[in-house]
Amino acid sequence: MPVPAEHAIRGVYAAQMWVLEAGPSLRTLEAMGYRVKGQRENVTVMVPEGGFGAVEVRETGGFLAARDGVGTVHHIAFRVPDDAAQIALREKLLGLGLRVSEVRERQYFRSVYFREPGGVLFEVATDIPGFTADEPFEALGSSLKLPPWLEASRAQIELALPEIAHPGAEVRA
């Protein structure tokens, strides 16, 4: 059943991360090319230089430190245009003393991962090769694409997925 337009998500303003102490997290975001846009109470809004998509850093004081679990977001993903930009940023983050993963191949992009000082998991992914690496733009979303390491589980994955009616596609009864 379609969601009425007045209730539909029309965009995402920001990712908000909760940390015990904001300073180290803010410095990490600054090293990643973000700058402070504003402040309200215990929330600092950071935006990327020349881009869009804010990150809000909420200093919680004595509240729980970042951790994974039900009701939480696993990680915040950031994008870089290509491998060279990713490697340069990785080196910069390593220089700050952060433990950054090796580059991981994800079929449609390459990623590195690290926990920023507040404990939130960050991913930095390349724009390349992109989602048109194995199908034309016009066909995106029309079939299930899986990375090679998941092909053996295709039948099981397909059984677990709900049926989705694509705009313009014939809806099955």
Side-chain angles (χ1 to χ4, degrees):
M1 172 186 262
V3 174
E6 66 270 16
H7 300 295
I9 295 172
R10 293 191 244 322
V12 176
Y13 168 71
Q16 187 176 94
M17 49 192 273
W18 290 27
V19 296
L20 297 177
E21 182 184 346
S25 299
L26 296 174
R27 286 189 289 280
T28 299
L29 285 163
E30 286 171 348
M32 293 174 65
Y34 280 68
R35 63 175 174 75
V36 174
K37 179 181 180 182
Q39 177 88 31
R40 62 181 189 279
E41 298 176 17
N42 59 337
V43 177
T44 303
V45 180
M46 305 284 291
V47 294
E49 293 291 340
F52 61 91
V55 176
E56 296 181 346
V57 180
R58 177 181 293 269
E59 184 172 270
T60 61
F63 196 69
L64 295 171
R67 63 173 121 170
D68 294 333
V70 175
T72 66
V73 173
H74 182 264
H75 67 281
I76 299 175
F78 299 86
R79 62 187 285 254
V80 291
D82 53 35
D83 297 322
Q86 183 183 64
I87 294 301
L89 180 56
R90 183 179 184 276
E91 292 301 317
K92 188 177 205 178
L93 295 167
L94 288 169
L96 295 175
L98 296 168
R99 292 181 42 188
V100 185
S101 74
E102 295 295 323
V103 174
R104 296 189 181 154
E105 176 61 49
R106 299 295 190 216
Q107 186 168 344
Y108 301 110
F109 50 89
R110 287 174 278 286
S111 294
V112 295
Y113 302 87
F114 66 98
R115 290 210 180 266
E116 58 80 43
V120 177
L121 181 61
F122 281 4
E123 173 186 17
V124 179
T126 61
D127 287 344
I128 60 170
F131 291 102
T132 56
D134 59 359
E135 64 183 328
F137 178 82
E138 299 75 30
L140 288 175
S142 62
S143 64
L144 176 63
K145 295 293 184 178
L146 294 173
W149 59 90
L150 290 177
E151 277 299 337
S153 302
R154 176 176 284 280
Q156 180 183 359
I157 292 168
E158 287 178 339
L159 282 173
L161 294 174
E163 188 171 323
I164 298 173
H166 295 280
E170 191 175 305
V171 179
R172 292 186 276 169

